[in-house]
């Protein structure tokens, strides 16, 4: 009998069935405490258990930063989960190269490629091997509160340039409304600003050149300008007081409670903000979404998007039952339920048309029109460089590093990782 249970205080274990099982599949995910997410996950586990009485699915959740920090240790221990959430990208590549993951057999890959998103499958492959299945596609955009916008006389849909956005920030400040809420303590929400500014300035070719170390890598005029433009925003003090002491979960609760005009965040925030808010969150009628605006002289496009292709991967000692559950969990039936329930935008092509929520439809439209999709930089560049990008995003926000020093630090990290 196999049963490994995490005892970390930061995790929340939800056992879908109390029955004694022949095999227990431990599933570790980032925090899914909002009602739509949690309901989808627990319903999927219960349905699978009902059809497979010898298997128990042990769902476990961690807050994002705790997940990132503790997963490397877990993967090297006897407490490793059988499958876990992955943002794909460089961190996933490192895990595959270090031998922590179980590759899927050719028959399973061939079958899944008929049902699941080709791009999503590719995101969870490395060096010709596939290690998991895609769940959702994500895009980051600027959410806005229609009530605040109307009271301030701001039309967010008219924001086309970065200067327009900064003007709206100033108007909000003058009107006594916090322009943006952000979970600065986690750093990655701040890296969205720095990343999108960089993308708008240098475009796809420039971002690729940075990754390859061309034109000075990160230590060039474009990255310095990205930091300078970021600092133009920071100097307006756009965030809520004490933002560096606030984590993402608390920040999204503030957003759901109507504490700001804007929120730069991904489509997953719809359920997260409502789950974290004290009053059920903002209704669809109170919400709007716009893409991050263009920057004067930039080489990027308004249709260039930042986001992810997330899913679940298997660990090296995962039993065959974990593969079978992964197939169900990331398969068409569950993804259609996610789409129709407004939980997330699925990667299964046949489920996409079932997205009914008007806000998620706007995000789906942004993704559908994307001319270049950049994976979250803190995931794309791997743990060291990605972590450095998060760090300098936070350090610039607190005035502890200059744009020039940030660019130099990033290039040093890229060159020596």
């Amino acid at each position: 009998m196999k049963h490994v249970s995490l005892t970390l205080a930061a995790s929340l274990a939800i056992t879908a069935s109390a029955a004694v099982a022949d095999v227990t599949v431990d599933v570790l995910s980032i925090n899914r405490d909002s009602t739509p997410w949690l309901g989808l996950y627990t319903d999927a586990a219960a349905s699978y258990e009902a059809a497979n009485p010898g298997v128990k699915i042990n769902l476990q959740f961690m807050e994002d930063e705790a997940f990132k920090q503790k997963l490397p240790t877990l993967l090297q221990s006897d407490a490793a989960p059988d499958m876990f959430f992955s943002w794909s990208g460089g961190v996933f590549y490192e895990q595959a190269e270090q031998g922590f993951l179980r590759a899927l057999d050719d028959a399973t890959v061939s079958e899944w490629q008929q049902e699941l998103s080709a791009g999503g499958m590719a995101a969870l492959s490395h060096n010709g091997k596939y290690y998991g299945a895609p769940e959702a596609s994500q895009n980051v955009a600027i959410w806005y509160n229609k009530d605040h916008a109307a009271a301030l006389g701001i039309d967010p849909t008219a924001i086309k340039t970065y200067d327009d956005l900064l003007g709206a920030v100033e108007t909000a400040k003058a009107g006594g409304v916090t322009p943006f809420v952000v979970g600065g303590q986690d750093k990655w929400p701040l890296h969205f600003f720095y990343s999108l500014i960089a993308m708008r300035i240098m475009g796809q070719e420039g971002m690729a050149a940075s990754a390859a170390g061309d034109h000075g890598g990160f230590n060039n005029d474009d990255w310095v300008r990205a930091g300078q433009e970021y600092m133009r925003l920071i100097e307006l003090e756009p965030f809520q007081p004490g933002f560096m002491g606030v984590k993402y979960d608390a920040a999204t609760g503030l957003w759901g409670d109507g504490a700001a005009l804007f929120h730069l965040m991904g489509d997953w925030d719809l359920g997260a903000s409502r789950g974290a808010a004290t009053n059920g969150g903002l209704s669809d009628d109170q919400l709007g979404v716009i893409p991050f605006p263009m920057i004067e002289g930039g080489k990027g496009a308004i249709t260039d998007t930042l986001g992810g292709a997330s899913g679940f991967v298997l660990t090296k000692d995962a039993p065959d039952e974990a593969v079978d559950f992964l197939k169900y969990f990331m398969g068409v039936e569950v993804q259609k339920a996610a789409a129709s329930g407004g939980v997330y935008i699925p990667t299964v092509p046949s489920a996409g048309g079932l997205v009914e929520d008007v806000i998620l439809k706007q995000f789906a439209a942004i993704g559908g029109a994307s001319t270049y999709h950049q994976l979250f930089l803190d995931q794309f560049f791997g743990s060291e460089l990605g972590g450095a990008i998060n760090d300098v995003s936070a350090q610039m926000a607190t005035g502890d590093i200059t744009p020039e020093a940030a660019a130099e630090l990033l290039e040093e990290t890229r060159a020596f990782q």
Side-chain angles (χ1 to χ4, degrees), residues 10-23:
S11 69
L12 167 65
I14 298 177
T15 303
S17 171
V20 176
D22 297 320
V23 176

Side-chain angles (χ1 to χ4, degrees), residues 175-387:
V177 176
T178 298
F180 282 92
V181 291
V182 70
Q185 185 175 338
D186 285 333
K187 301 181 182 179
W188 60 262
L190 288 166
H191 114 285
F192 289 165
F193 291 90
Y194 190 34
S195 300
L196 280 161
I197 290 170
M199 289 172 60
R200 294 294 186 258
I201 289 172
M202 64 190 73
Q204 182 174 7
E205 291 185 5
M207 294 295 287
S210 297
D214 298 336
H215 310 303
F218 286 83
N219 192 13
N220 59 40
D221 290 343
D222 283 341
W223 276 100
V224 171
R225 186 187 175 196
Q228 291 170 341
E229 296 290 350
Y230 178 43
M231 290 304 298
R232 289 180 65 201
L233 172 67
I234 297 302
E235 288 165 0
L236 297 177
E237 298 184 350
F239 306 130
Q240 79 276 11
F243 68 93
M244 284 304 298
V246 177
K247 298 180 74 65
Y248 162 70
D249 289 345
T252 197
L254 291 173
W255 168 249
D257 285 335
L261 172 62
F262 296 127
H263 190 35
L264 182 63
M265 193 48 60
D267 47 82
W268 63 85
D269 207 60
L270 184 66
S273 64
R274 289 171 177 170
T278 59
N279 59 2
L282 301 172
S283 69
D284 282 359
D285 291 339
Q286 295 174 292
L287 293 168
V289 179
I290 56 173
F292 197 86
M294 291 301 300
I295 292 177
E296 182 179 359
K299 301 172 185 175
I302 197 71
T303 49
D304 292 345
T305 53
L306 174 72
S310 62
F312 281 78
V313 295
L314 299 156
T315 52
K316 61 181 181 179
D317 295 323
D320 291 342
E321 289 82 359
V323 180
D324 192 54
F325 175 64
L326 177 63
K327 180 178 179 181
Y328 173 73
F329 192 45
M330 298 292 96
V332 175
E333 181 179 341
V334 176
Q335 291 230 335
K336 284 184 175 180
S340 60
V343 182
Y344 57 72
I345 301 170
T347 58
V348 172
S350 60
L354 296 177
V355 175
E356 297 176 355
D357 184 272
V358 295
I359 302 300
L360 290 185
K361 279 187 175 182
Q362 292 179 56
F363 273 99
I366 289 172
S370 176
T371 48
Y372 149 53
H373 186 67
Q374 172 62 57
L375 185 66
F376 306 118
L377 297 194
D378 63 342
Q379 298 298 316
F380 180 72
F381 287 116
S383 57
E384 290 188 19
L385 181 53

Side-chain angles (χ1 to χ4, degrees), residues 159-171:
I159 295 175
K160 304 301 181 184
T161 69
Y162 189 59
D163 284 342
D164 292 339
L165 179 63
L166 297 184
V169 167
E170 291 179 311
T171 299

